Amino acid sequence: MRTSQLFISTKKEAPAEAELLSHKLMLRAGLIKRLGSGLYTWMPLGLRVLRKVEAVVRSEMNTAGAQELLMPAVQPAELWQETGRWDVFGPQMLKITDRHERQFCFGPTHEEVITDIARSELRSYKQLPANFYQVQTKFRDEIRPRFGVMRAREFMMKDAYSFHASFESLQQTYDVMYGAYSKVFTRLGLQFRAVAADTGAIGGSGSHEFHVLADAGEDLLAYCPTTDYAANVELAEAFAPSAPRAAAAAAMTEVDTPKQTACADVAALLGVGVERTVKAIALVTVAGEFVLALLRGDHNLNEVKIAKLEGMADFRFASDDEIRAALLCPPGFIGPVGINADIRVIADLTVAAMSDFICGANKPKLHLSGVNFGRDLPEPHIVADIRNVMNGDVCPDGKGGVLELCRGIEVGHIFQLRTKYSEAMNCVFVTEQNTQQAMEMGCYGIGVSRIVAAAIEQNHDAKGIIWPAAMAPFSVAVVAVGYHKSEAVKAAADQLYAQLLAAGVDVLLDDRNERPGSMFADMELIGIPHRVTIGDKALAEGMVEYVARREGEMKKIALSEALEWIQTQTKA
C-alpha cells in the first residue's frame, strides 16, 4: 500500500487523559480514536494490527481442533437467570430492554449461550468432545475505564468453550489449549508467562492466566527462576514460618505514637524492624459481622485468599465509623488486644508464629509493644494463609527455590469449568450405558484487543512503537525522499515496491511530499520493523539505506540486492 492511499493521522502529543504509555502511543500513531469513555474506533492502521493478531489466534485455534462460530452479542436475560448470574455478575453487565419490555444484555461473556447450544445439539457421548470458539466484541461496563484498549468497556475477545463426557477428556483438551495459547503468544513475539490463577467470577476448578510481562501490568506474578513454578500473587501460597513461636520475653507496654499510624512509621519511631509489627485490618462480612484480619506489618492482605474462608465471601473493608463503633478507637491505632469477644480474629500464618510483637492499642495515639498470644490476648479464631507472597519467600512447589515477583498484563485465561453451567442449565448427554450425565466444560479466553496494547507496553522506545514482526501493520516501509521531485527516486521506489509486493512482502511505500525528518518520525512512531530509504544521494552510488526499527543502526545496501536483503530480514 502507498501512504497516499492510506489514512495516516499521527500526532506529536497524546491527549491529556492518556495515562499509560501504550494508550499514548496508540493515539499518537493514529491506531485508535476515542468515541466515549472506554469506547474506541479502530482506525485503518490499528485495525491492520488487530486483524494480524486475530489471524494468529484463529490459526492456532483451528490447529488445536476448535471450530469457529459466531454467537449473538445481545443475549436474553432468561439464559443468565438460569445460572443465577443475571444478578451475580453485577453492574458490569450492560442490561437492555427492547420494545416489548423483554430484558437482554450486551454479552460480557458467552458461557450461557454456548451451553444453550450444546444442550440442544450435543445429545450423545458419540458427539463429544466438542470445542467451539469465536472472535467477537464484548461489553463490560467498567466502573472506571482507563488505559485505552487495555481496560475498555467494549473490547475484542476470542472465547472458546469445550464439552466433554469425562473429566479426563476435559483435562486433555485443557492441556491442548494451554499449548495452543503458548504457541499464540510465542508466534506474536511476546515475552509471556503462564501462571496458576484463581477462577474468579467465571467459576470452575483449574485455571491458568497468560501474562505479557511488562512494568505497567496490573497483576503481580510470583515465579521461581530455578523451577517451573509460576502463579498469580492472589493464588501463590505463603508458608508458615518453620520455627515454632518463641516464648514471651517482654512485658506488654503502652508506647506513645502521637502521629504514627502506619506500621513502618511506628517501627521507625521505636527503632525496630517493621517485621516486628502487626497490623489489624477491619472487615465486614455480607452478614454484617465485624472481623479483624491480622498481618505482619510488611505484608499485604490477599483479598482472594481471605474471601475463600468460611463466611468471608464478598466481604468489604469497614468504614471509619464502623471501626469507631466496634473498637471505640479511630483507624490507625486499632489492634486485637482487649476487643469484644464477639469479634472474630483471623491471623495470618506468620502472625500466629510471632511473639513480643507491636500492634495498635485501641486507644488514640497509642500502640502496644511486647504483645503475646495466650498471655495478652486469646489465640486467633482462625489461622490461615491470607497474605500476598513476597520476594524471597520459599517457593510452594517444595523444590527448594525462592520466589521472585514481576508484573504482568493478563491477555489470556483458561478455565476448567467442570459442570458449573451444564448442571445449572440441564446440559446433559446420553452415556454409553444409556444414562444421562452433565457435560464437563472448559472455557478459554484471549483478549485480542488487549494484546495490541500489551505488545506496545513491552516493545517501544522514545521514538514510538516497535512492533514484533507478526503484529506489525506493515513489515517494511520504503521511504522515498523526493518522490515528487526526482524521477530516479520515483523509478527506484516504484520498482522496489512492486518487487516486494510480488514477493509477498507486506510493504508500505511512503510516497508523500513531506520532509524526510517527518517521514522518518512517522514510520518510527508507527513502529514498522524494517525501513528502506531511497534518496538521490545514495542512488548516485547505486545504494539504498536500511534501518531495522529495533536496532536503529543504518546500513547501506546495493539497490540491486535490496529485494533479497529485505526478504532475508523479514524472514529472520
Side-chain angles (χ1 to χ4, degrees), residues 217-232:
E218 292 185 283
D219 289 281
L220 194 58
L221 313 178
Y223 69 97
C224 181
T226 58
T227 72
D228 58 357
Y229 178 84
N232 195 302

Side-chain angles (χ1 to χ4, degrees), residues 533-555:
T533 302
I534 300 176
D536 278 323
K537 186 175 180 180
L539 273 183
E541 303 170 2
M543 309 292 283
V544 295
E545 296 173 350
Y546 167 81
V547 175
R549 177 69 180 86
R550 193 171 294 276
E551 284 77 35
E553 182 181 348
M554 191 272 285
K555 299 180 178 69

Side-chain angles (χ1 to χ4, degrees), residues 5 28 198 209 222 226 301 354-355 368 422 450 465 490:
Q5 300 169 330
R28 285 189 56 212
D198 185 68
E209 293 171 348
T226 58
L301 178 68
M354 292 175 67
S355 59
L368 297 172
S422 56
R450 177 177 274 206
I465 304 166
K490 184 177 185 303

